Amino acid sequence: MRLHKIILHQLQMPLKKPFETSFGVQNDRVFLLVEVHGKEAVGYGEVTVMAAPFYNEETPQTARHIIKDFLAPLVLNKEIGHPREVTNLFKPIRRNNMAKSGLEGAIWDLWAKEEGLSLSKALGGVKEKIAVGVSVGIQPSMSDLVEVVGRYLTEGYRKIKVKIKPGRDLETVSILRAEFGDIPLMVDANSAYSLADSDIFKEMDQYGLMMIEQPLSHDDVIDHRKLQAVIKTPICLDESIHTLDDARQAIELDSCRIVNIKVGRVGGLQEVIRIHNYCQEHKIPVWCGGMLESGVGRAHNLALSSLPNFTLPGDTSASSRYWDTDIIEPEVMMSSDGYIQVPSGPGIGFRVVDSQVKRYLINSESII
Ligand code: OSB
Ligand code: MG
């Protein structure tokens, strides 16, 4: 396989509703769509950066710079035998995982299309449908929260994850338990706490949550180990895990008992497979996190979630949870029992709709 052109499209897609986390409010999604042109097909990937470096260190501008000046020259007009090799080609470049992942993912899609394989099959996926949950942002009031969660439960979502931050934690959980009983419920703190807050998490044990996601610092595994030692609820790491080695160290230390896998955060699909396999061998369940992806990133998430150890519902909700109109056809739909079908067509298995891309387009740049 050879790439003769890479196109970076910067898009800005308005979210249906603002999404609030412990690090701020997002009204729209600004990201890069990556197009790679081979001999016979076009592959698509998504750089899942946020507009500002609040989740990780990358932004659309840094990702553009890294792809254009460092990653593209490593793959353009070079013979690539298999997309699993791309990770190694990118190794000399430190971090910048979302930039790497957007380009690597597009190459996987192109390869799968040229081979006539679905991306799921290309990755070693085994599931035909995947169970999904929904990530609920911090709401203006507790009554808004109850209404929103009630609506998602009615739609069929199989896991409710609510964002928490200091001052909006125990009350959030106790109200949801009082209102909805024994639903599959978890919280995500996006690193908003420190070990000094351990009592809050000890208190949370009584609510029987599925897990607590990334309570402590974004690059920590040591304090998470200390917290996990004094609470029963499993800790799930998100921000702290960038590589297989990070996952191995966290698991060896017992800093977490569940891993959230995000392809952008770990630098590509090949690293997803490696972390998935390691966790499977060590009986650590994984699930697919989300970065409010457009249909393209969503399609990649569906494919990777079809690997066997993705045993917990992911954050890969239906297109309609985020967008009035997505950029792919058909849109990602969830059945009323909370499953999404893994597409079986070649590559990502969805058509990217040019007119929709144009509608949200800020700029495009070709790299040859
Ligand atoms: O921590 O999982 C997170 C969105 C943006 C940045 C970080 C996170 C999230 C989500 C949304 O929780 C998940 C989704 O629905 O895509
Ligand atoms: Mg998270």
Side-chain angles (χ1 to χ4, degrees):
M1 171 181 48
R2 254 174 200 270
L3 317 184
H4 59 81
K5 182 164 69 173
I6 298 171
I7 307 178
L8 299 179
H9 302 286
Q10 185 161 338
L11 271 65
Q12 178 166 10
M13 290 176 73
L15 286 162
K16 268 185 176 174
K17 291 257 172 62
F19 187 73
E20 181 171 349
T21 61
S22 61
F23 51 69
V25 184
Q26 254 182 287
N27 293 300
D28 46 30
R29 195 73 190 87
V30 182
F31 64 96
L32 301 179
L33 180 66
V34 183
E35 228 180 274
V36 297
H37 290 243
K39 206 159 134 221
E40 287 153 33
V42 177
Y44 292 94
E46 178 161 339
V47 177
T48 61
V49 281
M50 302 210 319
F54 299 153
Y55 169 80
N56 73 346
E57 71 283 6
E58 300 178 79
T59 71
Q61 287 85 342
T62 69
R64 177 189 299 283
H65 165 53
I66 295 293
I67 292 176
K68 208 169 114 177
D69 297 328
F70 299 103
L71 303 177
L74 297 172
V75 291
L76 264 178
N77 299 308
K78 300 266 193 317
E79 194 51 41
I80 300 170
H82 190 282
R84 75 169 76 88
E85 296 164 15
V86 173
T87 300
N88 274 339
L89 299 176
F90 289 171
K91 264 256 156 69
I93 314 299
R94 300 278 195 247
R95 293 275 194 147
N96 291 284
N97 282 352
M98 288 179 175
K100 289 175 179 169
S101 169
L103 181 52
E104 191 245 21
I107 295 171
W108 273 95
D109 179 35
L110 173 64
W111 183 80
K113 282 171 176 161
E114 291 190 346
E115 295 289 314
L117 274 177
S118 69
L119 183 58
S120 161
K121 285 282 172 295
L123 297 172
V126 295
K127 292 188 258 171
E128 281 171 15
K129 61 177 191 179
I130 56 155
V132 294
V134 60
S135 172
V136 181
I138 293 164
Q139 300 297 313
S141 71
M142 288 298 161
S143 64
D144 290 307
L145 176 69
V146 167
E147 194 212 305
V148 170
V149 169
R151 187 148 34 82
Y152 287 139
L153 286 169
T154 308
E155 286 180 34
Y157 283 103
R158 302 184 76 89
K159 182 187 78 180
I160 300 290
K161 154 169 147 181
V162 284
K163 296 288 187 179
I164 55 167
K165 65 177 182 182
R168 299 291 297 274
D169 37 45
L170 287 167
E171 190 193 5
T172 298
V173 176
S174 84
I175 285 176
L176 291 176
R177 276 287 181 244
E179 194 73 32
F180 300 110
D182 193 22
I183 57 168
L185 182 65
M186 62 170 289
V187 293
D188 184 1
N190 288 108
S191 304
Y193 297 85
S194 75
L195 264 189
D197 302 308
S198 294
D199 284 347
I200 295 174
F201 297 105
K202 286 184 194 163
E203 189 75 14
M204 238 177 233
D205 265 345
Q206 67 182 291
Y207 297 103
L209 298 175
M210 299 170 78
M211 68 194 97
I212 298 169
E213 184 176 344
Q214 197 73 36
L216 310 180
S217 181
H218 68 92
D219 53 1
D220 168 83
V221 292
I222 306 297
D223 284 353
H224 280 99
R225 170 198 172 93
K226 293 184 183 165
L227 180 61
Q228 184 68 88
V230 296
I231 63 174
K232 288 204 234 32
T233 311
I235 290 178
C236 169
L237 289 177
D238 173 358
E239 282 89 331
S240 294
I241 308 293
H242 310 97
T243 60
L244 170 61
D245 276 335
D246 287 346
R248 177 185 56 75
Q249 289 168 4
I251 290 164
E252 281 178 4
L253 288 171
D254 193 26
S255 306
C256 71
R257 294 178 184 163
I258 299 175
V259 175
N260 165 332
I261 296 186
K262 287 183 184 168
V263 57
R265 200 191 65 229
V266 305
L269 289 165
Q270 184 55 28
E271 198 68 6
V272 167
I273 295 171
R274 295 174 75 221
I275 295 173
H276 164 275
N277 293 351
Y278 180 87
C279 289
Q280 187 170 34
E281 281 159 27
H282 292 80
K283 303 199 164 32
I284 298 289
V286 305
W287 54 280
C288 180
M291 291 296 295
L292 312 171
E293 285 88 348
S294 82
V296 168
R298 199 158 298 286
H300 283 262
N301 288 342
L302 297 182
L304 69 88
S305 300
S306 71
L307 293 166
N309 194 41
F310 281 84
T311 50
L312 294 164
D315 277 351
T316 51
S317 313
S319 298
S320 64
R321 181 253 174 272
Y322 311 87
W323 322 113
D324 282 324
T325 325
D326 206 336
I327 59 170
I328 54 163
E329 250 178 28
E331 297 208 338
V332 174
M333 310 269 271
M334 181 185 71
S335 62
S336 57
D337 60 351
Y339 286 92
I340 293 177
Q341 218 61 39
V342 178
S344 55
I348 59 173
F350 293 89
R351 201 170 65 77
V352 177
V353 185
D354 284 341
S355 59
Q356 283 301 108
V357 172
K358 287 211 177 77
R359 182 170 154 199
Y360 300 120
L361 192 65
I362 309 264
N363 57 51
S364 298
E365 179 175 12
S366 288
I367 308 168
I368 41 174

